[in-house]
Amino acid sequence: MKKKRPARKSRKRVILTVGWREWIGLPDLGIDAIRAKVDTGARSSALHAKKIQLFDRDGERWVRFEIVLDHAHERGRIPATAPVIDLRTIKNSFGVSEERIMIRTHLQIGSGLWPIEVSLADRENMTFPALLGRTAIRKHALVDPGRSYLCKWIDKKDLPTRPTK
């Protein structure tokens, strides 16, 4: 006799449609709005950071850095700290491998809020201070490459509660 599988819990996940560029938030880092390029050709995500310093806190590796919001418009820099989750070798947009610090943070796009991993990188010569790779949007968003800024901005107070890790 075949065993009956228990019924699956229905987890209805909202799939967003995003353009090739979007305004995103990184609430764990104090970022309400930063421009991001959505790049399905890139595996990992990156954030423009300066003054990156590793340090130890309570026996764990942490990083202190400044997030550059938009160097083109000089909107300023925001200081941030985060636990280091990994050091990874990543190929930059020029095909050169470099070691980068990886952190975990929550990503906000429109009504969506979920955890992502992001590398800290010098993106000074790039148009967008943030890049969202395919692992950050997988299972959460579809990309319409012919459109931009499709997600309506949602106020912090209207966001869903943060998902647990």
Side-chain angles (χ1 to χ4, degrees), residues 108 110 152-160:
Q108 175 194 347
K152 180 180 128 192
W153 189 250
I154 304 294
D155 192 278
K156 277 192 231 180
K157 67 179 175 25
D158 297 325
L159 281 175

Side-chain angles (χ1 to χ4, degrees), residues 69-105:
L69 292 175
D70 194 340
H71 59 274
H73 299 98
E74 300 197 16
R75 285 182 45 220
R77 297 178 181 202
I78 294 181
T81 58
V84 174
I85 61 163
D86 201 5
L87 293 174
R88 292 190 193 148
T89 302
I90 296 175
K91 282 187 182 176
N92 66 19
S93 59
F94 305 109
V96 177
S97 294
E98 56 189 23
E99 191 171 78
R100 291 192 193 163
I101 297 167
M102 300 295 295
I103 63 170
R104 186 171 285 119
T105 187

